[in-house]
Amino acid sequence: MSEEDIEIKIGGLLSKLGLTLALAESCTGGQIGNRLTDVAGSSAYFLGSAVTYAYSAKEHVLGVDHNTLLSKGAVSAEVARQMAHGARRVFGADIAVSVTGIAGPGGGTPDKPVGLAHLHLSAPDAEWAERHVWQEDRVGNKRLSANAALALILRYLEQQVQEAGEKQQMAAGKTGSRAGGEESRQPGAAVSPSMAWTAVAVDAWRTPDGQVHPRAFAWRGEMHVVTAVGRRWVETTEDAPWHCVLVQTALGDTFELRYQPNSDRWMVSGTWLRPRLA
């Protein structure tokens, strides 16, 4: 796959899965975001990138711990992890990827040579870390770090597609025994938006241009407070068009909500729940 093809493939999979992406870039200086936004329509799934080059930017923009920066250094697995978590929180994204490294030609040490790069991917069901040591010049090291970050995103998305296909096959085999009922679900399992829809009461407000913003909703006997609103789209069914929106709650769960503007009828049509501690 060429370097140009990977951005297109990532965009197609993000759209197919209904997921959003954010970035936290240091040594790459915004290259990853630039390449993703070369694809037309990327605003549907790419929320933004924080280019936090300095220690202070990592700390104040992304919330990286001050003591971690001092004890581990900006180029470390620990800081890369916190950068990804910060980007996911700041942008309200489903997935966030960070990269921090030493592009060169100076700045290397015996423990952290020139070309060292730490990457981290954070998602509701994954925390993936990578360490690389490149052998190119400054420009080449930056390019290879960007390539590695895009490859990391692609691997995660391809795994999500594979798991979704396996779940659909399993569900198809159980349709007869569960006809007319709602599938059983375990916290932490990604549920396809084709799950049985559940009617919910939603507290929402409208902007002057008519856009609806959910603030909270009751689901399965619990009140869920919305902390971030993601991608929006419209789907047409046999009865009427549904306006769909992805939201993240205070507990870190992601829900697909859909509503009919004329009737204020709301449904939960997909859930991605974070694992709960016992």
Side-chain angles (χ1 to χ4, degrees):
M1 180 181 296
S2 70
E3 291 183 10
E4 291 77 12
D5 290 339
I6 193 169
E7 295 95 330
I8 298 173
K9 184 73 176 294
I10 287 171
L13 292 178
L14 285 167
S15 297
K16 179 177 181 178
L17 293 165
L19 299 176
T20 55
L21 173 68
L23 301 171
E25 300 190 55
S26 184
C27 65
T28 49
Q31 280 193 27
I32 309 168
N34 179 61
R35 288 174 59 176
L36 287 169
T37 54
D38 280 344
V39 179
S42 53
S43 60
Y45 50 80
F46 179 62
L47 301 185
S49 176
V51 182
T52 52
Y53 212 66
Y55 273 51
S56 58
K58 292 178 177 67
E59 184 176 347
H60 296 140
V61 176
L62 297 176
V64 175
D65 179 67
H66 180 73
N67 292 329
T68 303
L69 281 166
L70 293 181
S71 62
K72 300 296 182 180
V75 182
S76 62
E78 292 82 1
V79 167
R81 179 186 178 95
Q82 291 187 25
M83 287 173 63
H85 288 181
R88 195 166 158 226
R89 181 185 66 255
V90 167
F91 290 103
D94 299 305
I95 309 162
V97 171
S98 67
V99 58
T100 179
I102 304 171
T109 67
D111 292 336
K112 296 182 179 182
V114 170
L116 174 65
H118 284 279
L119 287 74
H120 196 93
L121 180 148
S122 178
D125 61 345
E127 297 290 340
W128 292 2
E130 289 187 358
R131 178 185 184 274
H132 300 277
V133 179
W134 312 120
Q135 304 296 328
E136 300 286 338
D137 60 8
R138 182 177 181 85
V139 173
N141 289 336
K142 292 174 66 176
R143 177 178 54 81
L144 290 172
S145 293
N147 288 349
L150 291 168
L152 181 62
I153 297 167
L154 182 60
R155 286 198 302 276
Y156 173 78
L157 295 174
E158 288 177 336
Q159 176 178 295
Q160 292 298 106
V161 170
Q162 180 180 355
E163 291 178 355
E166 292 172 354
K167 288 183 175 71
Q168 288 176 357
Q169 290 179 356
M170 292 175 62
K174 299 176 182 179
T175 301
S177 61
R178 293 184 179 176
E182 185 176 349
E183 294 181 12
S184 62
R185 295 182 292 278
Q186 296 297 323
V191 179
S192 165
S194 61
M195 63 176 274
W197 296 2
T198 305
V200 290
V202 176
D203 174 25
W205 61 282
R206 294 177 184 269
T207 57
D209 61 1
Q211 192 172 65
V212 175
H213 295 265
R215 287 184 290 208
F217 59 95
W219 184 72
R220 292 189 171 180
E222 296 182 4
M223 182 60 67
H224 298 265
V225 177
V226 175
T227 56
V229 177
R231 190 170 70 92
R232 297 173 181 268
W233 68 100
V234 177
E235 291 183 6
T236 302
T237 61
E238 294 181 356
D239 53 351
W242 287 89
H243 291 245
C244 309
V245 57
L246 288 176
V247 301
Q248 189 172 59
T249 67
L251 293 177
D253 299 326
T254 300
F255 289 82
E256 180 183 289
L257 302 178
R258 56 182 61 210
Y259 65 97
Q260 293 179 329
N262 296 332
S263 64
D264 284 329
R265 181 186 177 196
W266 287 85
M267 295 281 185
V268 169
S269 53
T271 63
W272 292 263
L273 308 180
R274 290 179 62 89
R276 303 288 190 257
L277 295 177

